[in-house]
Amino acid sequence: RDLHSFPTRRSSDLVIANTGFVKLIDFGISRAASARPLAETGMLRRRLAYVAPEYATGKLDARSDLFSLGVIGHELIANQPLFAGSGNELRRVREMPIPPLARSGTVPHALQDVIMTALERDPDRRWQTAADMRSALAEVARGMSIHIGPPQIASWVAWAFSQRARPEGPTPLLVVPEIGRAHV
């Protein structure tokens, strides 16, 4: 069945189907050039916090999406925005030092390496394919004895939609003792 036929939860540009499949979808930058209201509302500015540094030169390829995925990974683990702020997100993406993820040794170095490789500003130093990054993440998961696939994600989606809003903060996506909580 088509992904759109399933009830989904949309968070930025990640779509999580109730079947447990996760899709990284269009970041909307290609539409933004012709969408004046998008820029006027600030949507384009917020999205710039997720584009690869080469966006300004117009030399985008598949590795640009891996940079965006690295931003999302960093934000999930750090539980805070990486480049978003009160203006000039593209400059932050190009120049801001990227803070390490290791907090008191709670983030395994192998996981940090995968994410920081995705966040390399030079596309030639970044993961060259999504398959390369996926393999590296699978190796990290194996090393931590973690298996997260569609059944586990589907279970989490069912749980998340069964919860009422709670005042204590964001719902954890997963809890791994070695890492901590990753939030949606």
Side-chain angles (χ1 to χ4, degrees):
R1 291 172 47 176
D2 183 9
L3 181 66
H4 298 291
S5 66
F6 294 109
T8 59
R9 176 173 183 164
R10 184 158 188 220
S11 174
S12 295
D13 294 290
L14 290 175
V15 176
I16 304 172
N18 65 349
T19 57
F21 288 93
V22 180
K23 298 287 182 179
L24 177 63
I25 61 170
D26 179 29
F27 278 83
I29 299 304
S30 59
R31 289 188 310 244
S34 63
R36 184 175 171 88
L38 185 64
E40 289 172 0
T41 64
M43 181 63 77
L44 176 58
R45 190 181 77 234
R46 285 190 299 274
R47 289 177 182 263
L48 288 176
Y50 296 91
V51 299
E54 60 269 22
Y55 170 73
T57 66
K59 296 179 182 177
L60 302 173
D61 60 25
R63 298 172 298 178
S64 303
D65 290 339
L66 299 178
F67 182 89
S68 300
L69 190 56
V71 173
I72 292 167
H74 193 286
E75 290 180 348
L76 284 171
I77 292 172
N79 196 28
Q80 63 184 12
L82 180 56
F83 297 118
S86 59
N88 212 341
E89 282 78 6
L90 189 53
R91 183 174 182 181
R92 281 193 192 94
V93 167
R94 289 191 319 252
E95 300 172 8
M96 184 186 98
I98 298 171
L101 288 168
R103 297 171 298 187
S104 307
T106 59
V107 179
H109 291 291
L111 179 58
Q112 182 170 220
D113 289 346
V114 170
I115 292 171
M116 297 307 275
T117 298
L119 289 171
E120 283 286 346
R121 288 189 167 102
D122 177 354
D124 291 333
R125 297 186 61 184
R126 203 176 294 149
W127 296 106
Q128 298 302 295
T129 67
D132 292 341
M133 186 173 176
R134 180 183 58 226
S135 294
L137 285 168
E139 187 62 34
V140 170
R142 273 191 296 279
M144 296 175 65
S145 299
I146 297 173
H147 175 73
I148 297 176
Q152 291 79 18
I153 295 171
S155 175
W156 176 81
V157 168
W159 172 83
F161 278 97
S162 72
Q163 301 298 301
R164 297 189 187 272
R166 296 189 332 251
E168 66 265 14
T171 304
L173 174 59
L174 59 104
V175 178
V176 178
E178 295 84 0
I179 298 173
R181 295 172 183 250
H183 291 81
V184 233

